[in-house]
Structures are given as C-alpha cells and as structure tokens.
Amino acid sequence: MSDLGKWLKTALCCKGPPPPRPEYDLVCIGLTGSGKTSLLSQLCSENTENIVSTTGFSIKAVPFQNAILNVKELGGAANIRKYWSRYYQGSQGVIFVLDSASSEDELETARNELHSALQHPQLCTLPFLILANHQDKPAARSVQEVLPSSTWIYRWRLWPVSYTHLDVYKRQMERAFSVAAPRLWNFLQWRLD
C-alpha cells in the first residue's frame, strides 16, 4: 500500500469509536398523573399515545448529545410512594415532577412528598430538578405559585414544562450538558439565562 493509501485509510476510517458519553443514574418521582411517563417518553422520542401510569417502576435511557441519563421512574400512587426509598440507592440526582394544574389538595400532597424527598438521607445531598408540568393547561399555576420563593434552596432548580413545548425543554437540557462540567451536580445547578 502506498503512503497516500495508508494516510487515507488512517484519516478516513481509523479514528476509532467516539469517546463514550458519561452516564448518570437519576430517580424520577412525583404523584400519579403528574406526567412523568409522558415527559420521559417524549424525551426518548417514543410514542406517547395510550400512555398508562407506571404502577411499579420503569427505567429509560434518555440520550443527550453529551451524556445519557438512566432514569428510574417510580409510580406515584399512594400505595407505591411508601416504597420509593427502596429505589433511591445509587442515584446521582432526582427529577421530581409536579402537576401545576392539579387541585390544591393534590399540589399540597406533592409538596409534602417533595419535602420528604429533599430530606431523605439518601437524597438530601443530591441535586434536584423539579418540573412544574402541564403548563399548557388553563388551570396551570406559575412556578412561583407551585413552590413559594420561601422554599427555594441552593441545590435544586424548578423549570416549567409542558408537552407542547418539550422541544424547548430538551434543547435547554442539551445546552446545559454542553456547558456544564462533567459532574451532574454542576449540570443541575446551572441557571437559565
């Protein structure tokens, strides 16, 4: 093989596989009907027709350009929530989904569950991404109404989301991964412009 042939072979096909993307293990929790399954399915580009509430748990790999989130979604029914803590081990972060259009009683229950999760020994040092879902519904509350400012703490970020604007949410998360340090903590601390 000529020198040119060797160079072409090396330049065109021998660069090797791309470096692996870092993977992060997250747990996704929230009450039944908050939209956890639908949000994760859309982020994975899966069919969202005929979505059924998760009754136990499911695991989805959510691919982004610079990382992969391995998300363990836990069902949100009252009889399942008492078992959430059995699935927390090994998590590097938490996604908590709230239904911003739910009744005041359901929202208060969700706030209480969020408060419990924030204080749980296996989660209390982890970053939280809190999603105020269903922002496209007429009864949706603003971010400030979902969680009053007096409850804001340094290790979580609250984002409003809806199915109709999920593409914007996904781009924001991809942008966060591209500018954040490799550690998930830094990603979830990132602030929107």
Side-chain angles (χ1 to χ4, degrees):
M1 185 180 288
S2 71
D3 287 340
L4 178 59
K6 289 178 186 175
W7 180 83
L8 280 174
K9 181 179 176 188
T10 302
L12 298 176
C13 65
C14 296
K15 291 185 178 182
R21 292 181 283 181
E23 294 190 25
Y24 301 103
D25 295 325
L26 304 176
V27 63
C28 180
I29 53 180
L31 302 185
T32 296
S34 61
K36 300 178 301 292
T37 305
S38 296
L39 284 172
L40 291 173
S41 294
Q42 287 193 12
L43 285 174
C44 292
S45 300
E46 296 175 352
N47 185 356
T48 57
E49 293 179 22
N50 303 319
I51 294 235
V52 179
S53 292
T54 303
T55 56
F57 76 94
S58 70
I59 299 175
K60 292 193 182 295
V62 182
F64 289 97
Q65 182 176 350
N66 296 322
I68 297 172
L69 301 182
N70 296 312
V71 182
K72 191 182 321 174
E73 178 203 352
L74 307 180
N79 63 336
I80 295 173
R81 291 194 302 261
K82 60 186 175 186
Y83 299 108
W84 280 358
S85 62
R86 295 181 184 204
Y87 296 91
Y88 292 164
Q89 187 172 353
S91 294
Q92 296 170 285
V94 180
I95 300 173
F96 195 98
V97 182
L98 295 152
D99 179 357
S100 64
S102 65
S103 70
E104 189 57 42
D105 288 342
E106 288 178 8
L107 186 56
E108 189 59 33
T109 300
R111 288 178 185 134
N112 290 336
E113 292 293 344
L114 173 60
H115 183 72
S116 294
L118 284 165
Q119 295 183 357
H120 191 278
Q122 289 180 301
L123 304 180
C124 66
T125 61
L126 298 180
F128 274 68
L129 175 61
I130 304 167
L131 303 178
N133 197 14
H134 299 144
Q135 289 291 306
D136 53 330
K137 293 185 177 180
R141 293 169 186 82
S142 69
V143 167
Q144 293 77 20
E145 293 170 310
V146 169
L147 291 175
S149 61
S150 62
T151 63
W152 284 71
I153 58 174
Y154 71 94
R155 64 183 177 92
W156 58 266
R157 176 72 180 154
L158 175 63
W159 279 344
V161 296
S162 71
Y163 302 132
T164 56
H165 301 296
L166 199 60
D167 57 327
V168 173
Y169 166 66
K170 189 167 184 176
R171 280 197 310 270
Q172 289 170 336
M173 289 187 74
E174 287 174 342
R175 180 174 166 219
F177 272 117
S178 70
V179 300
R183 298 181 62 223
L184 182 65
W185 179 269
N186 290 335
F187 160 64
L188 292 175
Q189 292 277 334
W190 181 74
R191 302 289 187 232
L192 294 175
D193 292 334

